[in-house]
Amino acid sequence: MSAIEAGVLKVSGPLTMRTAQEWRQRGQTAIAAGARRIDFSAVTEADSAALAVLLEWQRLAGGKDALSLVGLPAGLASLAELYGVESLLPIAA
């Protein structure tokens, strides 16, 4: 499930290999509609496919400074660090 409120895409549920294509499309739609902040606080599960989705959304939005990611799950942040891509993600406080 996702919702867009005031330029914020709220991601909930799993963001995994099983759901990555669906989330990629939802994010595309949200970014095209003007969403520039993505809230992950309701994500229940994430894997390395989530990183690919995040990087795709970032590319679609126009680069690192075009998006702001909030509520990133600790496990997903750890994966980004493990793969050496944490500096590519616009993680907001």
Side-chain angles (χ1 to χ4, degrees):
M1 177 96 185
S2 66
I4 302 171
E5 296 176 12
V8 178
L9 169 63
K10 296 185 178 194
V11 183
S12 62
L15 180 51
T16 63
M17 212 183 244
R18 293 184 322 273
T19 62
Q21 182 62 22
E22 179 182 351
W23 277 113
R24 188 183 70 74
Q25 291 173 346
R26 287 181 184 183
Q28 273 184 318
T29 301
I31 290 165
R36 291 298 178 260
R37 189 169 179 91
I38 303 176
D39 182 354
F40 293 90
S41 59
V43 170
T44 58
E45 181 183 2
D47 63 17
S48 58
L51 289 176
V53 170
L54 296 181
L55 293 169
E56 172 69 6
W57 287 347
Q58 184 175 310
R59 183 190 67 75
L60 289 170
K64 179 179 178 181
D65 296 329
L67 285 181
S68 178
L69 309 178
V70 296
L72 206 64
L76 187 53
S78 292
L79 278 176
E81 185 177 348
L82 177 68
Y83 294 138
V85 298
E86 72 278 5
S87 65
L88 301 176
L89 299 177
I91 301 171

